[in-house]
Amino acid sequence: MEQLGNYVITSSFTNQNAGYSVWGFADRDGKEYFIKQFIERKYPANDTVSSPERIQKKIKECRQFENNKTKIYQVLNNSSDGNAVRVEEFFRIESKYYIAMQKINSIYQNISDIVSLPQDEIKRLCSIIAHAMASLHKGGLIHADLKPDNVLFTKSASGKLTAKIIDFDSSFLETDPPKPGETIIGDFHYFSPEACRTIWGEEVELTCKMDVFALGILFHQYFTGELPGYNTKESSYSGEAVAKGEVLTISGKLPDDIAALLKDMLDADPQKRPSADVVFHVLRGTLAEDDDK
């Protein structure tokens, strides 16, 4: 088997749902890990082709990449409540960069699996996700790519269904957001209107409320199996429609308290959206019992 630093690779690497990376599984000291290799950044190790000036430029870019990732992973690891999966190790081997994280053995894979659960169970799972995000937001970390693929469901130590947030490749700190016109990597279906405006080159503030908007869309799917609606044919995504002045339509299938919460989470004005912590407490308040995570 292939050895990668301290890890023994146990599966072939794949780029399925991986963006600018490939991933696989590995074993270290009898424990299973998820290993991701970044392919958009390579250190000029043993570079005999580039000029010295070009090599120094590449090294500088790699150092910036390392510093940025290290800061983000430190905040993630220090802020996580346990339901945002921590990065165990960020490392380089020759020219390639990797991260190692705990392997999550997920149970449910599809939105339809969540929709079929009892409504109180959906509320409880949404509250777990909101609490995990509130913990990260306290550290100023924006996930920026919340979507079904990045929320895994598994069993907690007590045997109850719980949620785990993964994939912080697109994440950034509130103090160091993308600049107007820069690319924000993620799924457009879950982009906030302010993320859309930033990509369009507008000067707008990017805050943790980006994630609250994405959670509003995600939770709408968990409860109804559907994305929120909008009327314009000129938009392809919810955030784009809101950025162009439309108000999203909340499904009539939802109970009034959940509908009101999602409406607030999907407000065009980030300042009017509730924080993830408020979302957590509102959801907990709708439950008959305050279950553990």
Side-chain angles (χ1 to χ4, degrees), residues 75-149:
V75 174
L76 164 63
N77 292 346
N78 292 336
S79 303
S80 174
D81 65 352
N83 292 96
V85 181
R86 295 177 173 90
V87 171
E88 298 283 340
E89 190 176 1
F90 171 53
F91 59 100
R92 176 174 65 85
I93 296 179
E94 295 184 349
S95 64
K96 299 174 182 178
Y97 289 96
Y98 302 86
I99 58 170
M101 308 174 77
Q102 171 192 1
K103 181 184 177 183
I104 304 298
N105 295 310
S106 59
I107 298 173
Y108 293 112
Q109 299 292 333
N110 301 316
I111 292 291
S112 58
D113 295 321
I114 306 303
V115 174
S116 65
L117 294 172
Q119 194 166 95
D120 258 17
E121 184 71 348
I122 301 174
K123 291 179 182 178
R124 191 180 67 83
L125 291 171
C126 288
S127 75
I128 291 170
I129 297 166
H131 186 274
M133 291 312 307
S135 298
L136 299 182
H137 289 172
K138 286 179 183 177
L141 180 62
I142 301 171
H143 187 288
D145 192 21
L146 289 169
K147 58 185 179 182
D149 286 346

Side-chain angles (χ1 to χ4, degrees), residues 9 24 26 31 47 93 120 141 174 210-211 215 250:
I9 303 303
K31 295 182 179 180
D47 188 341
I93 296 179
D120 258 17
L141 180 62
E174 211 170 32
M210 284 177 57
D211 287 339
L215 288 180
I250 304 299

Side-chain angles (χ1 to χ4, degrees), residues 18-85:
Y20 297 99
S21 61
V22 293
W23 59 271
F25 297 112
D27 179 274
R28 189 185 74 184
D29 300 328
K31 295 182 179 180
E32 291 185 290
Y33 289 87
F34 169 88
I35 300 286
K36 178 176 286 187
Q37 175 196 320
F38 297 96
I39 58 177
E40 86 276 22
R41 183 68 60 197
K42 291 185 178 181
Y43 192 87
N46 304 316
D47 188 341
T48 59
V49 178
S50 301
S51 67
E53 293 78 14
R54 178 59 180 162
I55 290 174
Q56 286 305 310
K57 182 180 179 181
K58 288 181 179 180
I59 290 175
K60 183 179 179 180
E61 291 171 346
C62 286
R63 294 301 183 217
Q64 291 174 339
F65 175 79
E66 292 170 10
N67 290 338
N68 180 56
K69 291 298 184 185
T70 298
K71 288 178 183 178
I72 288 172
Y73 297 149
Q74 285 178 342
V75 174
L76 164 63
N77 292 346
N78 292 336
S79 303
S80 174
D81 65 352
N83 292 96
V85 181

Side-chain angles (χ1 to χ4, degrees), residues 79-287:
S79 303
S80 174
D81 65 352
N83 292 96
V85 181
R86 295 177 173 90
V87 171
E88 298 283 340
E89 190 176 1
F90 171 53
F91 59 100
R92 176 174 65 85
I93 296 179
E94 295 184 349
S95 64
K96 299 174 182 178
Y97 289 96
Y98 302 86
I99 58 170
M101 308 174 77
Q102 171 192 1
K103 181 184 177 183
I104 304 298
N105 295 310
S106 59
I107 298 173
Y108 293 112
Q109 299 292 333
N110 301 316
I111 292 291
S112 58
D113 295 321
I114 306 303
V115 174
S116 65
L117 294 172
Q119 194 166 95
D120 258 17
E121 184 71 348
I122 301 174
K123 291 179 182 178
R124 191 180 67 83
L125 291 171
C126 288
S127 75
I128 291 170
I129 297 166
H131 186 274
M133 291 312 307
S135 298
L136 299 182
H137 289 172
K138 286 179 183 177
L141 180 62
I142 301 171
H143 187 288
D145 192 21
L146 289 169
K147 58 185 179 182
D149 286 346
N150 288 340
V151 181
L152 304 182
F153 295 94
T154 186
K155 288 291 182 73
S156 69
S158 64
K160 292 182 179 179
L161 193 62
T162 191
K164 299 286 185 180
I165 297 171
I166 62 169
D167 197 346
F168 294 85
D169 289 359
S170 302
S171 300
F172 55 87
L173 298 176
E174 211 170 32
T175 54
D176 187 24
K179 295 176 177 60
E182 287 187 351
T183 299
I184 300 176
I185 299 172
D187 189 322
F188 286 147
H189 288 97
Y190 302 89
F191 269 25
S192 65
E194 59 269 28
C196 293
R197 292 193 177 103
T198 296
I199 294 171
W200 297 341
E202 297 181 27
E203 186 82 39
V204 295
E205 186 179 14
L206 297 179
T207 70
C208 294
K209 296 295 183 69
M210 284 177 57
D211 287 339
V212 173
F213 189 91
L215 288 180
I217 297 174
L218 187 62
F219 291 174
H220 193 282
Q221 286 184 285
Y222 286 164
F223 280 103
T224 69
E226 305 166 354
L227 294 167
Y230 53 88
N231 296 320
T232 179
K233 295 180 180 179
E234 298 177 357
S235 300
S236 301
Y237 312 103
S238 300
E240 180 187 6
V242 173
K244 292 179 179 178
E246 183 142 9
V247 176
L248 298 180
T249 302
I250 304 299
S251 173
K253 300 176 184 178
L254 290 163
D256 291 344
D257 54 355
I258 298 299
L261 176 62
L262 296 188
K263 182 179 179 181
D264 290 343
M265 294 171 71
L266 295 170
D267 198 291
D269 185 350
Q271 294 185 357
K272 292 182 180 179
R273 293 175 209 150
S275 66
D277 189 55
V278 168
V279 173
F280 163 71
H281 282 97
V282 170
L283 287 166
R284 282 293 181 178
T286 66
L287 295 174

